Amino acid sequence: THYGPLKNLAAADDRFAVGGMQFVRGRPTYKLLPGTVGESFALAVAERLELPQSVLSRANDLLDSDTRQMGELIQELEDQKLLIEEQASEMEEKKRELGRMEFELKERQVKVEKEQLNIRRKEARKFAKDLEEKERVLEDILSKLKSDPSRRIVAKSWDDIKFVKRDALNEAENV
């Protein structure tokens, strides 16, 4: 109702309740909003239905200033409420999108970590294989030294050991 005494009765007596119809941007949604008091959109609806301007002007003139001011305030509040609801809806959608993005990022991170681990394992196997080859070379050098401990063989073997050591250090830096 738009009748003030009835609104006041609902405010003063728990046996009564008020309700208003939802209007969005001056158009009815046909949704009942229990517990709310709304503006009369009769003039807005009449204008939208293209009633004669003289009728609309006369109806507007018959409204007292308090009713007109209250209607304007209620309309402003409803517009602000609608804007807040739209913003809240947008924020919820952004929150859901952020959640999806975080999930995708975690999946990618796990995938990258697995790839890095596989690469490190592969490099470690290659390094171990290269070390085994170096060990065989050193065993050959040691075998030669045992069979012929001459000075020339020792000097050549020492050069070979230095080469194997340098080669092993270079490979270790590249892992």
Side-chain angles (χ1 to χ4, degrees):
T1 182
H2 300 291
Y3 184 60
L6 279 180
K7 291 179 191 178
N8 293 338
L9 178 63
D13 190 334
D14 290 340
R15 295 176 299 163
F16 298 92
V18 294
M21 295 302 291
Q22 182 184 45
F23 275 72
V24 176
R25 294 185 179 93
R27 294 196 166 277
T29 63
Y30 303 102
K31 179 179 178 184
L32 177 63
L33 302 174
T36 63
V37 177
E39 172 195 1
S40 170
F41 286 94
L43 293 178
V45 170
E47 188 175 329
R48 199 177 74 247
L49 295 175
E50 299 177 1
L51 268 83
Q53 188 60 42
S54 60
V55 173
L56 295 173
S57 295
R58 176 73 178 131
N60 212 3
D61 290 342
L62 292 174
L63 289 177
D64 63 48
S65 63
D66 288 343
T67 302
R68 192 175 301 123
Q69 186 177 13
M70 181 62 75
E72 290 170 0
L73 288 173
I74 290 172
Q75 180 59 47
E76 187 177 324
L77 286 173
E78 287 178 358
D79 290 345
Q80 289 176 358
K81 180 182 175 191
L82 178 64
L83 178 63
I84 290 170
E85 287 172 353
E86 288 172 352
Q87 290 172 341
S89 177
E90 288 174 13
M91 288 182 69
E92 280 300 315
E93 180 56 35
K94 287 180 181 182
K95 185 178 175 181
R96 284 190 294 274
E97 179 63 24
L98 183 60
R100 285 189 294 267
M101 290 171 70
E102 285 176 347
F103 179 77
E104 289 174 8
L105 183 61
K106 286 179 183 178
E107 281 184 330
R108 288 179 188 170
Q109 183 179 4
V110 167
K111 184 179 177 183
V112 166
E113 288 172 356
K114 285 181 181 179
E115 288 174 1
Q116 288 175 337
L117 181 61
N118 288 336
I119 289 170
R120 284 193 295 263
R121 286 178 178 162
K122 185 178 176 181
E123 287 295 320
R125 284 191 296 270
K126 183 181 180 299
F127 185 70
K129 185 178 176 185
D130 290 345
L131 280 179
E132 287 174 1
E133 180 61 34
K134 307 268 184 278
E135 186 178 5
R136 280 192 286 279
V137 169
L138 289 173
E139 286 173 355
D140 287 345
I141 293 170
L142 186 59
S143 175
K144 287 178 189 176
L145 284 173
K146 286 180 181 176
S147 67
D148 185 10
S150 70
R151 187 171 242 162
R152 194 173 112 265
I153 293 289
V154 170
K156 166 110 174 70
S157 296
W158 186 250
D159 288 339
D160 289 345
I161 290 171
K162 286 181 183 176
F163 176 76
V164 169
K165 178 182 174 186
R166 245 188 337 265
D167 196 32
L169 289 174
N170 284 338
E171 286 183 24
E173 288 179 14
N174 292 330
V175 172

